Amino acid sequence: MIDLPEGGTVADFGDLDGDGGDWQGIAASGGRDETALNLSLDGWEGPLDLLLELARKQKVDLRQISILDLVDQYLEFIDGAEQLPLEIAADYLVMAAWLAYLKSAMLLPKDEQEDPSPEELALRLHLRLQRLGAMREAASRLMARDRVGRDVFLRGAPEGLRIDRSIAWQVDWYDLVRAYGQVKARNSPAFHTVRDRQVMTLESALDRVSGMLGMSLDWVELREFLPPGADARLRKSAMASSFVAALELARTGRAELAQDDIFGPLRLRRVRASA
Amino acid sequence: MSETESLDRAVEAALFASEDALTVDQLATHLGDVDKGELREALARLVAFYSERGIHLVERAKRWHFQTAPDCAHLLRKERESLRKLSRAATEVLAIIAYHEPVSRAEIESIRGVQTSGGTLDVLMEAGWVKPAGRREVPGRPVIYATTPEFLRHFGLESRRDLPGIDELRATGMLDPVDDAFEAEMAEAGSADSDGESDS
Amino acid sequence: MSETESLDRAVEAALFASEDALTVDQLATHLGDVDKGELREALARLVAFYSERGIHLVERAKRWHFQTAPDCAHLLRKERESLRKLSRAATEVLAIIAYHEPVSRAEIESIRGVQTSGGTLDVLMEAGWVKPAGRREVPGRPVIYATTPEFLRHFGLESRRDLPGIDELRATGMLDPVDDAFEAEMAEAGSADSDGESDS
């Protein structure tokens, strides 16, 4: 087993017994890394965590720890931890390698040092440890507060405040009457009447046009054949029928057609009997 | 802090946090075998202390608990009115009742041309606009419904005779062509019907 | 009974009876639109009135509730199931979220130097202490986390300003990212070098 003293100021963290769950005392089902680490490393959560605990062992302010000492302690610890399962060891070994490099770099004369300088690397490590340490401290102070359900308690059996909602239904006179109108309209028998629409049949147009042609020898505009005073719809129908009648009369040789320009007025004239 | 004060505080906290009313015995055990005589004195002091407050310490069937002062009880239940528009189905049923009262549910349905759920009538009765008005003396003796004085008040009517007649409705275009009404009906069916009326 | 007494009793009763802590707004509405200024005065009077009692009136995250006095804990604890204890990982993650919020999982991990299993955040969210608080508008749009009013209530904090030591941590740069701190240190070292002797 790895022999490490208990962490100093973090007594409130109880996860050193290796159960690995997020709630102490609840069977471990937690993260793969946590479970594995706890089994073999007594609860150290990764290399940074281990480094922080080692740093605390120097018993000085975190701001004054010796990085060189820390590197030595870490490497010594990893050396001693022989039976680490490989998959857990990986992170720790990467850190060990990096620290070994850092140490050798720090021992080099200044002008042989590479960029970034080992001092800068060490400073970064230092800053990270400080921040992790600060959060760990804060967490333990937070956990030590008077907590609801542990130190202070809420009312055991509150009566409860109730808001009973009653509904005030809204409808106005217009909605009411209109609704009735719609019911009546929907359900009263509906009578559909087809309006009597005035049309001029082709036969009557033929009669009318040929009759009217007989009365004149001159050209007459097609328009003149329409019944006077007819409403718009009848006029349309009469125009269509009269046009077809005109064509028919022309086809059978009883009338001549003339149109001076496209869409111009269409004119008819009776064909005089050659006989 | 005096010893009695400290005991009072402990009793107070224990009764406050307890989910059940506690007997003197339970309290005594709970607080670490306090003398029961002292405990009773503490309870008496607390009853007096809280007698004018919004919460009282009371004993019921030898068990002690805190409860809201009776005159503050109304604060715990608060009525809140929310306005809601009457659904189309309910409005139609209300209109039919108003024009045809008294009517049975079957008659309402035959006028509306669709089934009417019981919930719709309940809403109208809850609103206070419609009430049962006896039974029709026909087989099955169905309940018949009529409007209430509250209905007239709500719509500002002197009497039901003030409702516009069919001819007036037609004149104002309220008797829409069937297609329009049908379209509106379909639109309504699309939106969820809040009082559960199913128009089939 | 004077008017202030009557208001005090009403506030007392409502807060005693409520299952949840109440904001001043909620209280005002519930008590029938009481003036909020007067309400705050009543709350202040009640805080003072109960300060020496076994139960205290406290404000957490702008919500008010009664709870037992902390020094009565030993009397009440024994019958209670003691709180499940959080794992070290979960307490650290909680602290990091509380002191840095809002913070992404990657940021939490960079402080802890170890991956955070999803289960740890789940535990904190299930406890009701942590909630997702949107996404950080950086590539990948990671979810960011923050604490809840329930967190403040559980740990007896009026607001995040009451987090233990937060002012000092902020002043010493402990809540700044390592990169920022590093830049600052280097800048400082640079200026120190320039007015001191340079050794290379």
Side-chain angles (χ1 to χ4, degrees), chain A residues 22 24 45 49 136 160, chain C residues 17 85 87-88 92 112 155:
Chain A
D22 283 308
Q24 183 80 349
E45 287 203 48
D49 184 25
R136 188 156 296 174
Chain C
K85 208 168 168 189
S87 74
R88 171 158 131 184
E92 269 182 29
R112 295 189 63 226
F155 289 96

Side-chain angles (χ1 to χ4, degrees), chain A residues 12-13 21-24 32 34 45 49 120 124 128 131 136 145-148 150-151 153 155 160, chain C residues 16-17 67-68 70 73 77 85 87-89 91-92 110 112 115 120 154-156 173 176 179 181 186:
Chain A
D12 200 42
F13 298 114
D22 283 308
W23 292 108
Q24 183 80 349
R32 123 204 91 75
E34 285 157 83
E45 287 203 48
D49 184 25
E120 286 174 23
R124 276 187 180 276
R128 290 189 72 187
R131 271 152 191 74
R136 188 156 296 174
R145 290 188 60 84
D146 289 332
R147 292 167 57 186
V148 171
R150 187 185 71 176
D151 308 291
F153 298 89
R155 180 123 188 250
Chain C
F16 238 72
Q67 65 182 27
T68 56
R77 201 174 292 163
K85 208 168 168 189
S87 74
R88 171 158 131 184
T91 52
E92 269 182 29
S110 92
R112 295 189 63 226
Q115 287 207 341
T120 303
H154 181 88
F155 289 96
D176 300 334
D179 284 347
M186 293 307 285

